[in-house]
Amino acid sequence: WFGLEAAEEVCAFGSIEDDDVIEHLDALIGKSVLVVDHTQGRARYRQLYSIREYGRRLLAGSDETAARSRYVAHFASRARSAVEAWYGPEQAEQLRATRMDFAEFNSILASLTADSVTLGEAAVLATNLRYLWIAGGMLSVGRRWLDRILAQADDEDARFREALWVRAWVALLQGDENVAAQDIRALRALPDSSRRLKARVDFCAGLQGLFAGRLADGIRAYRQAIDVFIEDGDNALVGTALFQMAVAQCYLEDYAGARSTCTRVVALSN
C-alpha cells in the first residue's frame, strides 16, 4: 500500500508533473490496475502482485533505476521525519503513518542489505526507524534488520556506529543483556567517538543499570546523557532518559528526586 504523497514524489519526473499524478491514479483505478482503500482515513493504493510484476518488467532499464532511487529517497525521508517529529503533538500520527508504511520499509531494507554498496544506507534507515521498532511493537523485526546490517558492518563508518547503539537499546528492551553489554563495550572502546554518540551510549548504559539493579550507576549514566541531549535539543531522548531515571530514583526510594525529575518531564512535554 502507498499514499498519494509517495506516488507524487516517486512518479512525478520526466514528462509527469506533480499535478498529473492524481489523474493517472484515478485512471488506473478505473481500469482496475490499482485498488484504493479509504478505511485508514486517507486514500491508500496497491496493485495485485501479478500486475506489479508486469509493471516492473515494463519499467526495466534506466527508468527503473530513477524510480527506485526516488522510491528509496522518499521513504528514507519519511523515516527521518518520524524521528524529528517524535517528541511532539504529532507522535501518535507519526507512529501510525510509519506502521502503515511498514511493508515499504521492509522491502527497502531487504534491497539495501542485499548489496554491500548500499549497506550504509540500510544502517541509516534502520537507525531512523528506531521508534517504530521500540514503540510500534516491532522489536524483533528491528533486531533482525540491525543484526543483519551489523554482521557486515565497517567499524570505521559512523553510520554503523549509530546502528550499534540502537541495537543495544533494542536488545535491552528484549532482555538480551549479553548482546546489549557487548554493544555498549564495543562503543565505549572506540577511540574517536563523537560527544553525541557517547551520550547515546550513556543512555543505553543507564537503562542497562536500571534493568540490572545497578541503580546508582544507571542514574549517573542518565545524567551524563541528559546534559548532552539538552545541549543538542534532542527532546525525545531527554524525555525518555528523564522518565527512566525517575523510575530508577523510585527504586532507590529517592522519591523527592523522582518527583523533581518527573516535573522536568512534564515541563518538557508542555
Side-chain angles (χ1 to χ4, degrees), residues 46 128 236 238 245:
R46 72 176 177 90
N128 285 337
V238 173
M245 186 172 77

Side-chain angles (χ1 to χ4, degrees), residues 43-150:
R44 302 275 292 175
Y45 309 91
R46 72 176 177 90
Q47 290 177 313
L48 297 177
Y49 177 79
S50 57
I51 295 175
R52 186 166 64 247
E53 289 304 301
Y54 175 66
R56 183 172 288 137
R57 288 198 297 273
L58 290 179
L59 192 62
S62 59
D63 283 350
E64 181 182 21
T65 301
R68 181 72 183 176
S69 295
R70 293 171 69 88
Y71 167 73
V72 171
H74 168 73
F75 285 99
S77 175
R78 285 274 301 106
R80 283 194 304 274
S81 297
V83 171
E84 292 165 0
W86 181 250
Y87 203 79
E90 300 300 317
Q91 184 183 96
E93 171 58 24
Q94 284 289 344
L95 181 58
R96 186 183 74 86
T98 306
R99 292 187 71 173
M100 287 173 63
D101 287 333
F102 170 69
E104 306 302 331
F105 289 123
N106 220 36
S107 173
I108 291 168
L109 283 167
S111 175
L112 294 177
T113 54
D115 186 340
S116 61
V117 173
T118 54
L119 193 63
E121 294 178 55
V124 172
L125 182 57
T127 298
N128 285 337
L129 288 172
R130 57 186 175 270
Y131 294 117
L132 175 63
W133 312 141
I134 289 163
M138 295 186 179
L139 286 173
S140 60
V141 176
R143 174 66 182 277
R144 184 173 69 247
W145 285 122
L146 289 162
D147 283 350
R148 182 179 300 184
I149 291 163
L150 291 168

Side-chain angles (χ1 to χ4, degrees), residues 1-48:
W1 293 95
F2 60 92
L4 176 60
E5 180 186 1
E8 288 175 339
E9 292 203 16
V10 175
C11 300
F13 68 100
S15 62
I16 301 176
E17 302 291 337
D18 284 2
D19 293 341
D20 298 330
V21 171
I22 186 66
E23 295 180 12
H24 286 298
L25 290 174
D26 284 341
L28 292 171
I29 292 166
K31 296 174 182 177
S32 299
V33 174
L34 280 182
V35 177
V36 63
D37 176 77
H38 294 279
T39 59
Q40 300 293 329
R42 63 179 70 179
R44 302 275 292 175
Y45 309 91
R46 72 176 177 90
Q47 290 177 313
L48 297 177

Side-chain angles (χ1 to χ4, degrees), residues 72 172 198:
V72 171
L172 284 165
K198 288 178 180 176

